[in-house]
Amino acid sequence: MMTDRRAVRWGLLLSAIWLAGALLVSYRVGAAAENALAVQEARSVGESFDATQRPARTATRYVPVAGPIQQVVRVMTRLVGPAAERMREEERVLVWRTLRERYISVPVKDADAWDIVGAVVVAANPVSIPWIVWLAVFGSGLLAAALLRRGMRLAATDRETAPYYLVADGIAVLAIGTAVSALLLRGHLEDIALRLPEVTAQTRFDPMVLTLPNGRVVALLLAGLWAVCTVGLVGVAWLASPRQSVATRRTARTAWAFLAPSALHLLCFTLGPLAFTAWLSVHRWDLLEIDRPFIGLANYAELVRDPLFWKALRNTALYSLYVPVTMVLALGAAVLLNQPLRGIRVLRAMVFLPAIVSYVAIAMVWQWIYHADYGLLNHVLRSLGASGHDWLGDPATALPALMVVSVWVQLGYQMVVYLAGLQGVPATLLEAARLDGANAWTRFWQVTVPLLRPVSLYLLVTGIIWSFQVFALVYVMTEGGPTRATDVLVYQIYQNAWEFRRMGYASALSWVLFALLVGLTLLQWRLLNKRVEHAA
Amino acid sequence: MAGVRLQHLVKRFPDGSTAVSGLTLDVQAGEFLVLVGPSGCGKTTALRMIAGLEVPTMGRVLIGEQDVTDLPPGDRDVAMVFQNYALYPHFTVQENIEFPLRMRKVVATERARRAREVAESLGIAPYLARRPAELSGGQRQRVALARALVREPAVFLFDEPLSNLDAQVRAATRAELVRLHRRLGITIIHVTHDQVEAMSMAQRVAVMHEGRLEQCAPPMEVYGTPATLFTAQFVGSPLVNTISGRVDGSGGRQVFTGPLVVPVHATPGDATLAVRPEHLRLGPAEGAPEATIVLVEPLGAETIVHLALHDGTELRARLPGNSTMEAGAVVQVSVDPMQALVFDAAGRLAGRGRG
């Protein structure tokens, strides 16, 4: 079969590219180990070097090491004049390389550690590739070929969905490749760490010293390589596929052209920052220093132990309860405003108005309404004979006060969505219910409300997603107070990032929030897929 | 079972248009009446007024002996099957069928028993647990029917329930509805724009046009003796032949004069002669005018021949399937005078041909 042969060809090509990538990685990772060894060697020589003593012109020593690193060549030279000037303290390690070998030079200082008087140059040989790497490479290549072949087969049976099969399998291949690379890399790095405990611990994450990739850089490189390969492969396979008519291809190209700007935007302003915060969340960074040390999952561990985080999470969850309250009110308002009355449009617009006003403006107005001394609410209460209350100053009422504002803001939007939903309820269904003997109340609960289920679900989940991102109200009205009674997740992220300058911790918080929101979104998808069909 | 009486029903909409103007109609208990007419003739509005979904501007609706004009739909003891079936998409078939019973506070066991009974009689018992979206058009139609039947109402109202079905299912359902009516003896008012449906199902056909009742009679009478030219043209396919001319003479000697000359019994004046295609004769006849064959449509069992008289009048003749006619040929055309109908200038039946 034609498609089979082509699939095998693609598989082989993919394996070849994958192999090349893996070789490159192995080489780079092996080089990291060598260099670490070489630096260690050069340092030990440099430290024992007596500046007054005239050094030998050259000296060679073979260091027997197990595994890929076969030898370290030590070269000592005396540096004088401009050469010593150029070699600054920061550049204590210089690396240069030829095709086959790499040289690392470490400056040697005089007795009072002031002048650079010489350098130790160490050369290292390239490494060999362990057999397990070969195995993994071929295994994953075969797997990728099989997957692509399956995708081609499926695509041959269904012309319309062919691109989706190919893209789906492309993603699967990408995932396999990345996983294999990550596994290999981890094994290799562990191997190096075992051999060079001190050096690795100090220099592994210091690329300025070793000029060598550490784990994350290699992983990123690999993933990028795999992404490019896969996207290229899928694209070529798709465009070259004779099953696709010219018109289909042209349509697809046009679609991609239209999608490109938003895809680019998404990449730059959503996926990019997302990846950056993920990276930041495993580092410590106070915004002022260049140094961003890797601290693993320490930020997340701290977060779990931090009572303030749990307080913020609790407040956020409590705050989100305003959503169902708003929905009930919005449905009521929608039913009332669905009547064909004169001036109903003006009334609808008035209810919708808060949804288009700036949150900061709303927050400032409500801050005044809630003000303990000269706020509108207390003024009205006092004129009715009741006593006033410091709504935003009392920890017991601050959060409910914010929720009331949110209800007021969201009511109009939700009402408009419900109005649209109400107009989508088929009139004949309500008429059928009338003939079946259902009164207005029963018709509402037995027909209208169940048919609005998709709308309600949409409002509930998007509403909760929005509520989890509340910031402006808190920032303007309460600043998280009093006594952190209105401290919500986003406000805590803001505080940690810009007030406490704990970028890493703030990033970790952001990722927790992100995970929560992704979970909610997935939930919404699942629930909405079981949507009620109106066209019965 | 109960009959339905409509007395001078008028429906005017707020925008000023009149859908029904003065409809008076008696439907006997246990009768299958088809309300037929072109779209916009007011037939659906009339049905909705019987159902109580529209409030008449004037006139009364009686079901049995009870004036129900001011009763809400639920209290009229009528059931309706809608064109799009109007099944509740969030209920299962069983819940759909039980809904009217639930609204009438029938106990659950009784509800389930009656729903199953009706479902079995309509052959939809295997689908009781499904939702409407999982059923075919024909099955949904049966569910809608079951929901109407389960209540055992006095009157059934069908609002074009067959028009969303494909041709084959529609023909089968047509026959099935007639059988159902015979078996249960229920009163059915069926609205349709399809004259074939009207002719094949009805005990009586009520033809409506521009909000008025043109004629209400058994199908063959509507076909053979249409009360108005509109009815003659609306019922029957291919379209009835109409020839303009005059009726002259007096006593028993009137003659229709036009492109064709036919002896008639009719009031003198401007008139239209209507002849069904099957009553047109092609072939040599003394004094008959000549016509050119424009188009021949062989349909198998019969052949439709389109002709043009010299003055441009178009005619259609229905001939046996084995007829050999060629387009372009010239033939003489005559009519069977006994089957010719004469309509006056206002379109009312004014007489017939004589032998």
Side-chain angles (χ1 to χ4, degrees):
Chain A
M1 224 171 107
M2 186 64 198
T3 48
D4 278 8
R5 235 185 303 150
R6 193 168 46 228
V8 171
R9 228 162 37 220
W10 288 123
L12 287 176
L13 181 59
L14 194 70
S15 305
I17 297 169
W18 169 216
L19 178 65
L23 279 173
L24 185 73
V25 173
S26 270
Y27 180 78
R28 299 283 280 170
V29 171
E34 285 172 47
N35 284 324
L37 255 190
V39 168
Q40 197 180 30
E41 172 66 16
R43 275 202 186 122
S44 71
V45 173
E47 273 158 20
S48 62
F49 175 62
D50 181 357
T52 57
Q53 197 186 318
R54 196 178 172 81
R57 271 267 165 237
T58 56
T60 304
R61 189 172 66 146
Y62 292 94
V63 184
V65 189
I69 300 161
Q70 278 145 7
Q71 59 168 342
V72 174
V73 183
R74 190 187 64 189
V75 186
M76 281 286 301
T77 46
R78 176 173 279 275
L79 294 174
V80 282
E85 299 269 302
R86 275 202 303 277
M87 194 168 204
R88 296 193 308 277
E89 175 65 15
E90 298 87 78
E91 299 170 321
R92 62 191 188 278
V93 178
L94 289 179
V95 181
W96 69 95
R97 60 176 76 94
T98 66
L99 198 61
R100 282 191 61 252
E101 293 181 311
R102 276 175 304 285
Y103 300 92
I104 298 153
S105 75
V106 178
V108 177
K109 286 168 280 182
D110 58 12
D112 56 357
W114 188 255
D115 287 322
I116 294 168
V117 291
V120 179
V121 178
V122 181
N125 272 353
V127 291
S128 63
I129 296 170
W131 62 271
I132 186 87
V133 175
W134 292 103
L135 205 69
V137 166
F138 279 119
S140 69
L142 280 176
L143 200 56
L147 262 179
L148 270 183
R149 182 168 154 169
R150 188 197 69 109
M152 294 265 182
R153 274 230 182 107
L154 285 172
T157 60
D158 189 349
R159 180 189 300 234
E160 289 298 311
T161 49
Y164 307 108
Y165 284 125
L166 287 174
V167 169
D169 283 343
I171 290 167
V173 169
L174 176 67
I176 292 171
T178 315
V180 170
S181 320
L183 271 176
L184 277 178
L185 192 68
R186 214 183 117 217
H188 222 117
L189 286 178
E190 271 172 6
D191 185 40
I192 294 163
L194 269 179
R195 285 203 204 119
L196 301 160
E198 339 145 45
V199 176
T200 323
Q202 287 163 7
T203 56
R204 190 164 148 196
F205 298 100
D206 195 351
M208 282 173 75
V209 172
L210 283 180
T211 68
L212 280 170
N214 51 36
R216 65 208 138 87
V217 176
V218 177
L220 276 176
L221 272 175
L222 260 183
L225 179 75
W226 267 92
V228 169
C229 285
T230 314
V231 168
L233 261 179
V234 168
V236 167
W238 179 28
L239 288 177
S241 165
R243 291 183 307 275
Q244 296 282 329
S245 70
V246 176
T248 313
R249 253 183 288 161
R250 191 173 301 149
T251 314
R253 263 202 303 257
T254 313
W256 280 112
F258 275 111
L259 279 176
S262 64
L264 201 69
H265 181 272
L266 194 72
L267 201 71
C268 291
F269 297 106
T270 302
L271 298 182
L274 201 66
F276 185 56
T277 48
W279 181 83
L280 270 183
S281 74
V282 289
H283 292 77
R284 188 168 47 232
W285 185 33
D286 72 352
L287 277 174
L288 301 180
E289 284 177 36
I290 300 163
D291 211 23
R292 283 178 264 191
F294 175 80
I295 55 168
L297 295 178
N299 279 329
Y300 292 95
E302 183 185 346
L303 186 148
V304 172
R305 286 190 300 265
D306 188 351
L308 291 182
F309 162 73
W310 292 106
K311 174 96 175 164
L313 192 62
R314 185 182 141 271
N315 283 341
T316 311
L318 274 178
Y319 170 79
S320 69
L321 288 180
Y322 89 84
V323 177
V325 175
T326 317
M327 282 171 61
V328 172
L329 295 174
L331 182 56
V335 170
L336 286 179
L337 294 182
N338 202 22
Q339 314 296 328
L341 298 175
R342 190 195 299 259
I344 199 78
R345 281 161 190 276
V346 178
L347 209 56
R348 283 182 199 163
M350 276 168 63
V351 178
F352 185 67
L353 215 54
I356 55 169
V357 177
S358 150
Y359 254 103
V360 175
I362 289 169
M364 288 172 73
V365 170
W366 278 88
Q367 207 172 16
W368 165 72
I369 290 175
Y370 282 139
H371 197 278
D373 299 326
Y374 42 87
L376 182 68
L377 183 58
N378 281 350
H379 182 76
V380 171
L381 279 176
R382 286 197 192 101
S383 67
L384 289 173
S387 59
H389 186 81
D390 188 1
W391 301 100
L392 294 176
D394 180 353
T397 55
L399 193 63
L402 290 187
M403 288 164 70
V404 167
V405 180
S406 305
V407 170
W408 182 77
V409 172
Q410 286 285 307
L411 187 66
Y413 166 73
Q414 296 200 354
M415 180 207 69
V416 166
V417 177
Y418 265 132
L419 264 176
L422 280 178
Q423 272 146 24
V425 174
T428 51
L429 274 184
L430 295 169
E431 289 179 345
R434 279 174 76 190
L435 276 158
D436 285 341
N439 58 29
W441 182 256
T442 318
R443 287 200 298 273
F444 180 71
W445 286 108
Q446 296 282 334
V447 181
T448 308
V449 169
L451 285 180
L452 286 176
R453 202 183 85 113
V455 177
S456 302
L457 254 176
Y458 164 79
L459 283 177
L460 181 68
V461 180
T462 51
I464 289 177
I465 289 173
W466 276 98
S467 74
F468 267 63
Q469 300 177 55
V470 61
F471 174 70
L473 282 186
V474 174
Y475 182 67
V476 176
M477 289 177 75
T478 63
E479 295 185 348
T483 65
R484 298 206 169 262
T486 58
D487 196 3
V488 291
L489 275 181
V490 179
Y491 189 71
Q492 213 173 57
I493 292 170
Y494 164 81
Q495 267 197 321
N496 273 296
W498 304 107
E499 287 179 15
F500 309 148
R501 299 203 318 266
R502 302 203 301 170
M503 273 295 174
Y505 188 71
S507 298
L509 274 174
S510 305
W511 267 81
V512 169
L513 179 64
F514 178 65
L516 281 172
L517 294 182
V518 166
L520 279 171
T521 310
L522 289 178
L523 185 75
Q524 184 195 16
W525 278 354
R526 284 197 55 170
L527 292 175
L528 277 184
N529 276 343
K530 295 188 220 152
R531 71 168 55 237
V532 174
E533 275 191 41
H534 280 237
Chain B
M1 261 347 90
V4 177
R5 292 221 307 269
L6 308 183
Q7 298 175 339
H8 312 289
L9 267 190
V10 174
K11 179 64 188 180
R12 233 171 264 131
F13 285 114
D15 64 355
S17 63
T18 305
V20 175
S21 41
L23 178 66
T24 298
L25 184 64
D26 269 9
V27 185
Q28 306 300 317
E31 187 180 15
F32 196 140
L33 181 113
V34 175
L35 208 52
V36 72
S39 45
C41 72
K43 57 189 191 298
T44 295
T45 310
L47 193 77
R48 288 170 63 83
M49 284 192 285
I50 301 172
L53 295 173
E54 302 279 358
V55 179
T57 315
M58 274 187 275
R60 315 300 300 170
V61 177
L62 281 81
I63 294 178
E65 291 308 311
Q66 194 192 4
D67 186 338
V68 297
T69 317
D70 301 316
L71 284 184
D75 296 344
R76 291 190 176 201
D77 203 15
V78 297
M80 188 156 163
V81 176
F82 291 83
Q83 180 174 0
N84 59 4
Y85 318 135
L87 299 179
Y88 308 115
H90 51 291
F91 289 156
T92 61
V93 169
Q94 170 136 20
E95 288 165 334
N96 262 286
I97 299 174
E98 282 185 10
F99 188 75
L101 300 179
R102 191 147 62 91
M103 291 302 109
R104 282 170 178 74
K105 309 264 188 298
V106 177
V107 293
T109 47
E110 171 72 2
R111 283 204 312 254
R113 188 186 63 76
R114 279 167 71 178
R116 175 152 284 278
E117 219 172 80
V118 170
E120 268 164 10
S121 77
L122 288 172
I124 47 171
Y127 315 122
L128 278 176
R130 293 204 196 164
R131 280 176 202 271
E134 302 165 60
L135 300 179
S136 72
Q139 290 165 343
R140 286 181 206 180
Q141 215 258 348
R142 282 150 192 267
V143 176
L145 208 56
R147 187 175 63 184
L149 281 172
V150 78
R151 283 170 49 191
E152 297 167 3
V155 180
F156 284 88
L157 306 175
F158 291 174
D159 184 11
E160 310 214 13
L162 305 181
S163 57
N164 281 10
L165 299 176
D166 55 48
Q168 248 173 348
V169 183
R170 194 189 309 179
T173 314
R174 224 155 52 198
E176 204 174 314
L177 279 182
V178 172
R179 275 204 301 277
L180 191 76
H181 173 252
R182 281 213 198 104
R183 184 154 58 90
L184 302 176
I186 47 187
T187 312
I188 296 179
I189 303 177
H190 181 118
V191 159
T192 182
H193 61 268
D194 182 355
Q195 48 111 358
V196 178
E197 226 172 82
M199 295 294 288
S200 61
M201 295 169 78
Q203 288 176 327
R204 277 198 305 157
V205 177
V207 183
M208 281 188 74
H209 178 47
E210 291 181 346
R212 287 174 200 287
L213 185 67
E214 296 275 315
Q215 187 173 13
C216 183
M220 282 322 289
E221 191 181 327
V222 170
Y223 187 77
T225 316
T228 61
L229 187 57
F230 171 82
T231 309
Q233 287 174 318
F234 185 76
V235 176
S237 171
L239 190 64
V240 71
N241 293 300
T242 51
I243 302 151
S244 312
R246 283 190 60 75
V247 172
D248 292 308
S250 60
R253 297 245 160 253
Q254 294 103 322
V255 172
F256 174 86
T257 325
L260 281 161
V261 179
V262 179
V264 293
H265 280 303
T267 352
D270 285 336
T272 304
L273 191 76
V275 184
R276 295 276 175 205
E278 58 267 33
H279 300 136
L280 216 58
R281 284 193 298 239
L282 307 186
E286 201 183 326
E290 288 184 331
T292 313
I293 297 178
V294 180
L295 177 70
V296 179
E297 293 178 289
L299 298 178
E302 59 188 32
T303 299
I304 311 297
V305 178
H306 295 251
L307 309 116
L309 290 173
H310 292 306
D311 70 341
T313 308
E314 286 177 19
L315 299 175
R316 291 153 295 277
R318 188 200 299 267
L319 301 177
N322 54 7
S323 311
T324 50
M325 289 281 171
E326 293 275 333
V330 175
V331 291
Q332 280 185 301
V333 180
S334 53
V335 300
D336 177 354
M338 294 303 286
Q339 303 291 346
L341 299 165
V342 180
F343 293 92
D344 62 17
R348 263 185 287 278
L349 188 64
R352 318 188 65 120
R354 62 188 159 87

